[in-house]
Amino acid sequence: MRSRFKSRNVLTIFTALSFASAAAVSASANAAEVRGVVELFTSQGCSSCPPADLALHGYADRPDILALGYHVDYWDYLGWEDTLGSAENTARQRAYAKALGARSVYTPQVVVDGKAHMVGSNVKSIDAHLTPTLPIPVALDKSDDRLRVSIGEPANGQLTGDVRITLVYFNNETAVEIQRGENAGNKTIYANAVIARQIIGMWKGGPATMEMPVSEMMKHGADNCAVILQRYDEKGLPREIVGAAVLDI
């Protein structure tokens, strides 16, 4: 398991999309309910990562789990530049490290529901931290040239605080042939590799709908997207995820 820490700006804020006015709607009944979010921080240059990358496929195949692969860039100096890596993905991991009190970032690392972290290949620990449900029902669907986010009433009373609504753009499968570094010679298919994240609004505490053009997804070169509702603390650090949904493509 690799470990390394650098101080830097830990949170990248993306330009917000315009959104439709709120309406009293509940999450769509035809969409599978996402009950947990598994975020894997990984690198093509890390010899410990392939088992975690394989485990992420298992979660990506489950309709009740939103599984996302964030490729980081801090191992690029080892001889292979991660073709899916980005400074933005690394910034999200470092923000989690500060929020969760971790002394450093490492790969492979999984963060479950924004609340707990563990080694990314430790499926038993990941499963133990997944909750039966997330408190806010959310749906994400596509109609013609529009993406629509639908947010319902919280399951257990009113939730307050800084809750940001974020679209996450990713590709379902990406094949990479690694030519140098610790994994040289490996040809790997990566699941749900994150390309970009975009904050589209703040949750105000009640049912709401938002719409944006599908072209926003295509602009990033993504073939899928998800929406995450997540609390942030007074320092702007990510905390627990309270709702999520993924397009059923």
Side-chain angles (χ1 to χ4, degrees), residues 67-219:
L68 297 169
Y70 292 85
H71 288 245
V72 299
D73 63 355
Y74 50 80
W75 296 126
D76 289 355
Y77 77 97
L78 292 176
W80 177 254
E81 185 174 334
D82 193 309
T83 60
L84 302 170
S86 71
E88 290 78 17
N89 290 346
T90 299
R92 181 160 177 81
Q93 186 184 26
R94 290 190 172 129
Y96 268 139
K98 287 191 174 183
L100 298 173
R103 290 187 299 175
S104 65
V105 293
Y106 62 90
T107 56
Q109 180 190 40
V110 154
V111 177
V112 177
D113 294 343
K115 297 188 293 187
H117 72 94
M118 65 282 302
V119 176
S121 55
N122 191 340
V123 173
K124 185 176 180 180
S125 180
I126 295 170
D127 288 344
H129 284 87
L130 286 168
T131 55
T133 186
L134 295 173
I136 303 177
V138 184
L140 177 64
D141 58 79
K142 181 167 70 76
S143 177
D144 297 325
D145 62 345
R146 308 293 293 176
L147 292 171
R148 183 173 63 248
V149 177
S150 303
I151 304 172
E153 288 282 3
N156 300 313
Q158 200 69 15
L159 295 174
T160 58
D162 179 5
V163 178
R164 303 178 189 180
I165 307 164
T166 303
L167 279 183
V168 183
Y169 303 101
F170 62 92
N171 285 322
N172 293 318
E173 290 188 344
T174 309
V176 178
E177 188 170 347
I178 301 171
Q179 299 174 8
R180 296 183 301 278
E182 294 185 350
N183 292 317
N186 288 3
K187 186 173 182 179
T188 303
I189 297 177
Y190 291 98
N192 294 2
V194 172
I195 297 172
R197 300 174 66 254
Q198 189 168 36
I199 294 174
I200 61 170
M202 307 293 290
W203 183 65
K204 301 300 183 181
T209 59
M210 298 173 215
E211 291 188 353
M212 61 285 301
V214 171
S215 59
E216 193 67 26
M217 184 173 73
M218 295 187 292
K219 181 180 76 175

